Amino acid sequence: MNKINEVFANRGDKKLLSLYFCAGTPTLDGTGEVIKTMERRGIDFIEVGIPFSDPLADGPVIQTAATQALKNGMSVQLLFQQLKAVKDEVSIPLILMGYLNPILHYGIEQFCQSCAEAGVSGMIIPDLPFDDYLTQVKPVADRYDLRVIMLITPETSDDRIRFIDDNTDGFIYMVSSAAITGAQKSFDEQKQEYFRRIDAMHLRNPRMIGFGISNAQTLKAAQDNAAGAIIGSKFVTLLNESKSADEALDRLFAALQN
């Protein structure tokens, strides 16, 4: 069974926590250590960002991290080398998150094969058109037992959500708002209604809520309305400031209780 499916199958009542960081930051060679530290500290999923020069869905924090990673020398090829080096030391699911351009340049078949060889369980490609996913990416990913995680937003229609639910596996990434990534202090009633609407659809796939989660209030809102939460910008900021994954996690866990 794919590791992503295993986590959801075995979680019981546990609310899951997935963290995102950009490969190649804060240091070029530290990707493996960040991953191992997050697993040791109890994180359930890790989203490893592939830096790209034009990350349209990302706010300034992740854009800055991507720019720094590229300046540091990070590439898709180097990332796979780093992941292979820690493959036997990591047991939790790794999900690559990146834009379509670098993946197409690498080659979809080669990308999926490299994912499998490096112990990656799935991928998130925010700008992948769903029709292209169905015809070009899904058949290849399925051969390598990889999960392609699709995003939905408050603007996604119920029909579209059900179509996504019927044609994907792993989990559905619920974007908390139609805006770019970035920490928020709270989720307003409109967002809460969106969470409740999707919950009432009783989808086949579990859901994880991301974008804007940075404190106890936003974390609780996500956990109350989904299988768990995804945190990106807040952790990227703390990791960049501290240069230490352990210290960044200490500060994150403290922030999530306030």
Side-chain angles (χ1 to χ4, degrees):
M1 182 186 292
N2 180 283
K3 288 182 180 180
I4 295 172
N5 300 94
E6 284 184 1
V7 168
F8 285 104
N10 298 325
R11 75 181 182 93
D13 295 329
K14 179 184 179 183
K15 292 299 184 178
L16 304 175
L17 181 61
S18 176
L19 295 187
Y20 167 96
F21 79 104
C22 184
T25 57
T27 64
L28 178 62
D29 299 325
T31 302
E33 284 305 314
V34 172
I35 290 171
K36 289 190 289 183
T37 300
M38 284 200 277
E39 176 168 23
R40 175 170 52 80
R41 297 294 298 273
I43 304 305
D44 299 294
F45 296 101
I46 300 174
E47 293 177 17
V48 184
I50 303 171
F52 181 50
S53 57
D54 191 23
L56 297 177
D58 293 311
V61 169
I62 294 178
Q63 285 186 22
T64 300
T67 298
Q68 185 59 54
L70 292 172
K71 287 181 179 178
N72 287 348
M74 179 51 67
S75 66
V76 177
Q77 292 88 343
L78 178 57
L79 174 56
F80 279 127
Q81 292 175 20
Q82 293 180 345
L83 295 178
K84 284 181 184 178
V86 298
K87 175 184 177 182
D88 295 335
E89 303 173 68
V90 177
S91 61
I92 64 173
L94 301 180
I95 301 169
L96 292 189
M97 186 166 188
Y99 290 86
L100 188 57
N101 185 285
I103 295 172
L104 289 178
H105 188 264
Y106 192 85
I108 292 173
E109 179 83 33
Q110 183 60 43
F111 185 83
C112 291
Q113 181 178 337
S114 295
C115 282
E117 293 171 349
V120 172
S121 298
M123 63 192 80
I124 301 170
I125 311 172
D127 59 341
L128 173 64
F130 200 76
D131 289 345
D132 291 347
Y133 155 73
L134 287 175
T135 59
Q136 299 179 39
V137 177
K138 186 179 187 298
V140 183
D142 285 349
R143 286 204 304 272
Y144 292 96
D145 194 30
L146 299 170
R147 303 293 177 260
V148 182
I149 309 303
M150 304 301 291
L151 286 71
I152 64 172
T153 77
E155 298 177 351
T156 309
S157 70
D158 287 5
D159 286 346
R160 186 69 167 178
I161 291 169
R162 293 201 182 279
F163 187 64
I164 290 171
D165 189 43
D166 289 341
N167 290 279
T168 60
D169 191 17
F171 66 92
I172 290 176
Y173 191 137
M174 282 183 64
V175 176
S176 66
S177 70
I180 58 175
T181 58
Q184 300 177 35
K185 292 183 179 180
S186 64
F187 291 140
D188 60 24
E189 179 56 29
Q190 186 176 14
K191 292 187 180 68
Q192 299 269 5
E193 176 56 33
Y194 157 59
F195 297 159
R196 291 191 290 267
R197 175 173 67 88
I198 304 305
D199 190 44
M201 294 179 70
H202 302 292
L203 300 176
R204 178 178 59 86
N205 280 295
R207 292 158 287 115
M208 297 283 286
I209 295 177
F211 282 48
I213 297 169
S214 63
N215 57 21
Q217 187 174 359
T218 48
L219 177 66
K220 184 177 187 303
Q223 291 180 333
D224 285 350
N225 292 279
I230 300 168
I231 298 177
S233 295
K234 181 69 174 181
F235 181 67
V236 170
T237 296
L238 296 173
L239 185 60
N240 182 61
E241 290 175 354
S242 67
K243 313 300 183 191
S244 159
D246 260 319
E247 182 179 335
L249 287 166
D250 286 340
R251 294 174 62 188
L252 177 66
F253 293 152
L256 295 176
Q257 296 183 21
N258 297 312

